Amino acid sequence: MEGVPLRSFPNTDGMSIVLAAVSAIQQDKERLCDLDGATGDGDHGINMNKGFTLCAEALAASPKDFSGSLLQLSGILMRDIGGSMGPLYGSFFRAMGRTCLEAPDIDGALFLSMLEKGEQAVLSIGQAHRGDKTMLDCLGPALDAFRIALDGGETFPSALLRMKAAAACGRDATYDMLARVGRASRLGERSRGHIDAGAASCCTILCAMADGIALRLQP
């Protein structure tokens, strides 16, 4: 029916969703560096921009579906980005890409599974948990909100909006948190009063992907 959002989008139509995340990171790189500079070495935006831009160049040369694009991004982040964020985000996107590898279409339930597998991957290789002032403090609430919305019978697009709102709240909540892992943890109480750069980049990525998916779900 005209005007009713679609329940899924083809895997083959998903590269633009990853490219939406690329564009968002490129636009946000300076802010991410500023946030990272408050508690770290200030290069988070530079590193993320480098990896995501390399991914865009690779996809321009060899276009892929949604799962393939996520795996392309994963490989580049794990290979070409230094520090902890390359492996963390690389593992996140690899888990997401593998989860939808054989799927012809992506619906809300599958995207939920992709997010769940992504969070599990981050938890499996890192020392952080929710509440430690990291990307998990954005990803966790966003995932919970998306799951609750779907379980409550909301549509895929509506659940994406809930995810975006929760991601922003999770990001902002890191302002008052005490960093317990990573370079920022060395600051002790002085790590409070700053938004975590990893949580900020996670919010940027999730919101951009949600917007990209929403466009694919329009009839």
Side-chain angles (χ1 to χ4, degrees), residues 14 20 31-32 78 87 93 108 121 130 143 145 153 155 160 167 178 182 191 203 208 214:
R31 184 180 72 100
L32 294 176
M78 296 182 80
F93 289 119
R130 297 189 192 187
L143 169 57
T155 64
L160 289 169
L178 176 69
S191 65
C203 182

Side-chain angles (χ1 to χ4, degrees), residues 20-205:
V22 169
S23 178
I25 286 293
Q26 290 171 334
Q27 294 176 36
D28 209 22
K29 63 180 180 180
E30 292 185 6
R31 184 180 72 100
L32 294 176
C33 283
D34 290 342
L35 291 174
D36 190 38
T39 58
D41 50 17
D43 63 354
H44 183 57
I46 294 172
N47 289 335
M48 292 292 284
N49 179 70
K50 173 186 175 183
F52 277 63
T53 298
L54 287 172
C55 177
E57 293 170 354
L59 292 176
S62 179
K64 302 186 185 320
D65 60 12
F66 190 34
S67 56
S69 298
L70 289 167
L71 292 172
Q72 179 79 74
L73 178 58
S74 166
I76 289 173
L77 293 176
M78 296 182 80
R79 183 179 66 246
D80 296 322
I81 287 191
S84 63
M85 296 311 293
L88 288 171
Y89 272 120
S91 296
F92 174 69
F93 289 119
R94 180 175 61 188
M96 290 187 73
R98 287 179 173 177
T99 303
C100 66
L101 189 60
E102 303 296 330
D105 299 293
I106 314 296
D107 61 8
L110 179 53
F111 190 66
L112 172 60
S113 181
M114 292 168 66
L115 292 173
E116 290 173 337
K117 294 296 184 183
E119 183 187 45
Q120 290 168 15
V122 173
L123 287 167
S124 71
I125 69 165
Q127 299 178 333
H129 296 84
R130 297 189 192 187
D132 287 342
K133 197 181 179 87
T134 71
M135 64 180 288
L136 289 168
D137 294 305
C138 168
L139 176 59
L143 169 57
D144 290 346
F146 189 78
R147 182 191 298 113
I148 290 169
L150 288 185
D151 288 347
E154 296 189 35
T155 64
F156 195 174
S158 178
L160 289 169
L161 290 175
R162 302 278 189 186
M163 182 185 80
K164 287 177 60 178
C169 287
R171 174 201 63 201
D172 294 346
T174 64
Y175 183 87
D176 293 318
M177 290 181 181
L178 176 69
R180 295 190 175 91
V181 297
R183 185 184 297 270
S185 64
R186 304 172 188 173
L187 299 176
E189 285 294 330
R190 288 182 294 146
S191 65
R192 298 188 195 273
H194 307 282
I195 289 176
D196 178 68
S201 62
C202 186
C203 182
T204 295
I205 291 165

